[in-house]
Amino acid sequence: MTAELVRGQNHPLSQVRLEIRVSAGTPIVASATLGDADGRARGVEWVAHPGAPTLPGLEVSKQAAADHRLAVDLDAMPESVHRVSVLLALPTGAGGPVRFGAVAAPFVAVTGLDGAEVASYTITGLDAESAVVALELYRRQGAWKVRAVGQGYAGGLAELLTDQGLSEAHQLAGTINDAVAHGLARSVPAPPQRTSDGDRTRQTAAPALGPDQGGPTRQGTPGPADPQPSSPYEPQGTQPGSTEPVDPSAVTQPATPTGGPVNYSHPGRQTSAPPPPPPTAPPARPGQPAQPVAGDATGWSMDERLYNQVWGMFEDLARTTAAYRSAVDFAESRMEKELDQVLSDPRSRIGGQGDAAREAARAKHTQLVDQARHALDRDLAQLRAESDVVEPALPPAYARWDNPVWHGYRVPMEIPMALRLGDLRLPESELLRIPMLVRLPLERGLWIDSGRTAYLDDEATDSHALRHLAMETAVALAARLLAVYPAGEFAVHVIDAAGSGAQALVPLVQTGVLAAPPALGAAGVADVLTRLTQRVDLVQMAVRGGAADSLPPGLDTAEQLLIVNDFPHGFDDRAVNQLRYLADEGPAVGVHLMLVADREEAAGYGPLLDPLWRSLLRLTPVPDDHLADPWVGHAWTYEPPLVPSGSQVLQQVLTQVAAARTKYT
């Protein structure tokens, strides 16, 4: 039975391997400090935080999230550690709430490896505090207990860490905030929150893991490495500091409110719960997994069901990989512990008894890893089978360029739910790629990084070729956006101050889909930025004044995309400020930014541009593992949606877009 604690109450712990689960209504930072017998942290090395998430017997999340899972192994704690304090803080500089009194009360639960709650605590009574000691695990006469603390600090992390006995508290707080800001900038968007009737219907056999491990139990009790994304933190696809985005396609188009943003959502969407997927697949045989079916998710339309199914595949791959990695880590830690026990006994260090103990430890390690790999391979096989069924059924907005659906392309009559920005994969499943879908309209701009990445060999690709590849990626993404919007509802502008992107821009220029020829030189930069900033100002003033229907007759009400190549070439200080303004204020009124740039080339601006980089979703023209999921922080490898070599599909699609635009005008 769960012990529901109140502030100051304690409860004994009968297990040593635990999880601490944190739920909040907004992204928060979870950290933990180790304390000595006096409860004092002896130094920064006794603090686990997003910048240094692992300590002996303790691991915390690597980034801000609305839900956290902290892993604790009390047996692995050093003898000098007598207390583990769990710290929660609101991230600074992310545009979100700055005090806990403005958000829902955080909930903290201590669970066993089987997911059963041992004790829980709802942290109430907070107001101006931006950091809080949620609870502490402490050792008393050789036994561990948990105590609900709930001590808040209006001075934030720095004040809290100072109270923990750290002389370097302010420097450490800055390090944590920097790590969190970096994590928010490199995140992929989280999937939509699911209702109870929206669970996936696929069934799988139970994982073949040992009794003292854990694993993904998709239809049963969650294991220790089975993160449940019931309320994922701010997506690495929303504006920093925002919470789970409201589905713009799941609400009815309202009249424009006074003082509100322009609503670009779909008209006519129903607001009741979507129906379950139709039973299109025969029932599975006993003991066999269900046969995969395209659209095996809830939704009002096939596109919506496919969107939810793709995100379900993403969740499943994240969970099963987390379970595998957790099982391998457990097997290694168990082997190390058993070997340490052998070496600690002088009688077993040498001779047959010691050799037998070492062989037994290694054999157990191999057995556990093999069991975990078997469970992973089984889940991956099912996901690959599902991917083989889902990929051919995807609509153009979700499909790769080599999908045959593009050969039958027609300009759509309405905006789709989402757009495919590329593919995501993990090292354990190189052959399985999950579509990276983001909701439309775009809620943040895109940054195509033309700088070098860890995947590139210095001699394999020169900087010119990399810039050209980055511009080709930008053109492919712009073409996708043009193709999935109805005729006349999306316009693309290009700034190419030095003219270096002329070759990559040929498909857009020759088909005539650009709103105007690419702007060249400093004068062209100033002209385009002035027109777009004026458009943002006019729409904002009209909306705030309650006169959204009184815009100038010549104003283009279509959504606008600005592609900027080789930034900051051709930009003066005024142009840089205008670009930052568009990145911050543009998405709310239908003006979006796609920046093709190498950050090192803009280093001369110093921290002035840091907010700009953080506001954009970074993509790369070559595969790179720079994106993280919102639950367990897997480093996902992103692959750009480039057109296959020699394919004419891009020209064919853009030609149809241009023809439809001519008829529309």
Tab-separated table of all heavy atoms in Angstrom, residues 32 34 44-62 71 329:
chain	number	residue	atom	x	y	z
A	32	ALA	N	19.796	16.100	-7.946
A	32	ALA	CA	19.895	15.432	-6.653
A	32	ALA	C	21.271	15.694	-6.065
A	32	ALA	O	22.264	15.795	-6.796
A	32	ALA	CB	19.647	13.929	-6.782
A	34	LEU	N	24.049	14.481	-2.928
A	34	LEU	CA	24.429	13.517	-1.909
A	34	LEU	C	24.909	14.279	-0.681
A	34	LEU	O	25.609	15.293	-0.804
A	34	LEU	CB	25.538	12.596	-2.428
A	34	LEU	CG	25.259	11.861	-3.745
A	34	LEU	CD1	26.447	10.970	-4.114
A	34	LEU	CD2	23.980	11.047	-3.659
A	44	VAL	N	30.843	20.007	-5.710
A	44	VAL	CA	29.996	19.896	-6.898
A	44	VAL	C	29.960	18.464	-7.417
A	44	VAL	O	29.013	18.075	-8.107
A	44	VAL	CB	30.492	20.860	-7.999
A	44	VAL	CG1	30.332	22.305	-7.566
A	44	VAL	CG2	31.946	20.580	-8.363
A	45	GLU	N	31.006	17.682	-7.079
A	45	GLU	CA	31.016	16.288	-7.533
A	45	GLU	C	29.987	15.451	-6.786
A	45	GLU	O	29.761	14.281	-7.139
A	45	GLU	CB	32.415	15.682	-7.361
A	45	GLU	CG	32.881	15.532	-5.928
A	45	GLU	CD	33.460	16.817	-5.347
A	45	GLU	OE1	33.425	17.847	-6.059
A	45	GLU	OE2	33.950	16.780	-4.207
A	46	TRP	N	29.336	15.999	-5.794
A	46	TRP	CA	28.281	15.304	-5.060
A	46	TRP	C	26.889	15.728	-5.549
A	46	TRP	O	25.901	15.482	-4.877
A	46	TRP	CB	28.407	15.570	-3.559
A	46	TRP	CG	29.424	14.682	-2.889
A	46	TRP	CD1	30.627	14.302	-3.394
A	46	TRP	CD2	29.315	14.057	-1.606
A	46	TRP	NE1	31.281	13.494	-2.514
A	46	TRP	CE2	30.510	13.319	-1.389
A	46	TRP	CE3	28.357	14.054	-0.616
A	46	TRP	CZ2	30.745	12.594	-0.242
A	46	TRP	CZ3	28.591	13.325	0.546
A	46	TRP	CH2	29.769	12.604	0.728
A	47	VAL	N	26.812	16.350	-6.700
A	47	VAL	CA	25.538	16.818	-7.248
A	47	VAL	C	25.325	16.174	-8.615
A	47	VAL	O	26.185	16.278	-9.501
A	47	VAL	CB	25.500	18.355	-7.376
A	47	VAL	CG1	24.139	18.805	-7.902
A	47	VAL	CG2	25.814	19.017	-6.041
A	48	ALA	N	24.206	15.499	-8.793
A	48	ALA	CA	23.810	14.957	-10.098
A	48	ALA	C	22.813	15.929	-10.722
A	48	ALA	O	21.790	16.261	-10.110
A	48	ALA	CB	23.178	13.575	-9.945
A	49	HIS	N	23.104	16.391	-11.915
A	49	HIS	CA	22.275	17.396	-12.573
A	49	HIS	C	22.337	17.178	-14.083
A	49	HIS	O	23.116	16.323	-14.557
A	49	HIS	CB	22.745	18.803	-12.192
A	49	HIS	CG	24.183	19.074	-12.518
A	49	HIS	ND1	24.604	19.469	-13.772
A	49	HIS	CD2	25.307	18.996	-11.747
A	49	HIS	CE1	25.922	19.634	-13.768
A	49	HIS	NE2	26.374	19.345	-12.552
A	50	PRO	N	21.550	17.894	-14.897
A	50	PRO	CA	21.529	17.637	-16.342
A	50	PRO	C	22.891	17.729	-17.010
A	50	PRO	O	23.123	17.063	-18.027
A	50	PRO	CB	20.578	18.717	-16.869
A	50	PRO	CG	19.644	18.957	-15.739
A	50	PRO	CD	20.471	18.820	-14.497
A	51	GLY	N	23.801	18.518	-16.467
A	51	GLY	CA	25.130	18.596	-17.060
A	51	GLY	C	26.039	17.460	-16.646
A	51	GLY	O	27.030	17.169	-17.326
A	52	ALA	N	25.753	16.792	-15.538
A	52	ALA	CA	26.516	15.635	-15.037
A	52	ALA	C	25.510	14.700	-14.385
A	52	ALA	O	25.364	14.672	-13.161
A	52	ALA	CB	27.590	16.071	-14.044
A	53	PRO	N	24.762	13.935	-15.192
A	53	PRO	CA	23.579	13.241	-14.671
A	53	PRO	C	23.844	11.973	-13.875
A	53	PRO	O	22.912	11.428	-13.306
A	53	PRO	CB	22.794	12.903	-15.950
A	53	PRO	CG	23.842	12.787	-17.014
A	53	PRO	CD	24.910	13.781	-16.655
A	54	THR	N	25.080	11.488	-13.817
A	54	THR	CA	25.327	10.186	-13.211
A	54	THR	C	26.325	10.292	-12.073
A	54	THR	O	27.386	10.905	-12.212
A	54	THR	CB	25.852	9.192	-14.261
A	54	THR	OG1	24.922	9.129	-15.341
A	54	THR	CG2	26.007	7.813	-13.672
A	55	LEU	N	25.968	9.696	-10.943
A	55	LEU	CA	26.854	9.513	-9.799
A	55	LEU	C	26.727	8.053	-9.361
A	55	LEU	O	25.779	7.360	-9.764
A	55	LEU	CB	26.453	10.447	-8.650
A	55	LEU	CG	26.674	11.947	-8.851
A	55	LEU	CD1	26.153	12.717	-7.642
A	55	LEU	CD2	28.137	12.264	-9.092
A	56	PRO	N	27.640	7.555	-8.557
A	56	PRO	CA	27.496	6.175	-8.080
A	56	PRO	C	26.155	5.954	-7.385
A	56	PRO	O	25.835	6.624	-6.410
A	56	PRO	CB	28.664	6.021	-7.105
A	56	PRO	CG	29.698	6.990	-7.588
A	56	PRO	CD	28.923	8.162	-8.103
A	57	GLY	N	25.350	5.049	-7.939
A	57	GLY	CA	24.057	4.746	-7.359
A	57	GLY	C	22.971	5.745	-7.648
A	57	GLY	O	21.879	5.663	-7.075
A	58	LEU	N	23.209	6.692	-8.564
A	58	LEU	CA	22.225	7.748	-8.796
A	58	LEU	C	22.314	8.233	-10.236
A	58	LEU	O	23.409	8.431	-10.765
A	58	LEU	CB	22.473	8.917	-7.833
A	58	LEU	CG	21.576	10.152	-7.963
A	58	LEU	CD1	20.133	9.798	-7.645
A	58	LEU	CD2	22.074	11.259	-7.024
A	59	GLU	N	21.152	8.420	-10.857
A	59	GLU	CA	21.111	8.983	-12.212
A	59	GLU	C	19.861	9.831	-12.346
A	59	GLU	O	18.760	9.419	-11.967
A	59	GLU	CB	21.109	7.885	-13.273
A	59	GLU	CG	21.181	8.432	-14.696
A	59	GLU	CD	21.379	7.348	-15.742
A	59	GLU	OE1	21.481	6.175	-15.349
A	59	GLU	OE2	21.429	7.677	-16.932
A	60	VAL	N	20.022	11.045	-12.912
A	60	VAL	CA	18.909	11.968	-13.101
A	60	VAL	C	18.743	12.239	-14.591
A	60	VAL	O	19.557	11.842	-15.413
A	60	VAL	CB	19.144	13.284	-12.332
A	60	VAL	CG1	19.357	13.022	-10.858
A	60	VAL	CG2	20.325	14.060	-12.914
A	61	SER	N	17.664	12.952	-14.923
A	61	SER	CA	17.386	13.287	-16.318
A	61	SER	C	18.408	14.285	-16.842
A	61	SER	O	18.975	15.084	-16.098
A	61	SER	CB	15.980	13.867	-16.457
A	61	SER	OG	15.016	12.981	-15.949
A	62	LYS	N	18.599	14.259	-18.168
A	62	LYS	CA	19.585	15.124	-18.796
A	62	LYS	C	19.014	16.460	-19.240
A	62	LYS	O	19.751	17.297	-19.753
A	62	LYS	CB	20.197	14.419	-20.011
A	62	LYS	CG	20.954	13.140	-19.672
A	62	LYS	CD	21.528	12.506	-20.921
A	62	LYS	CE	22.275	11.215	-20.588
A	62	LYS	NZ	22.815	10.554	-21.804
A	71	ALA	N	16.835	7.242	-11.167
A	71	ALA	CA	17.196	5.892	-10.754
A	71	ALA	C	18.109	5.958	-9.534
A	71	ALA	O	19.085	6.712	-9.522
A	71	ALA	CB	17.882	5.161	-11.907
A	329	ASP	N	23.163	-2.231	-18.420
A	329	ASP	CA	23.828	-1.526	-17.320
A	329	ASP	C	23.710	-2.304	-16.013
A	329	ASP	O	24.667	-2.381	-15.230
A	329	ASP	CB	23.224	-0.130	-17.149
A	329	ASP	CG	23.586	0.802	-18.294
A	329	ASP	OD1	24.543	0.473	-19.034
A	329	ASP	OD2	22.916	1.839	-18.455
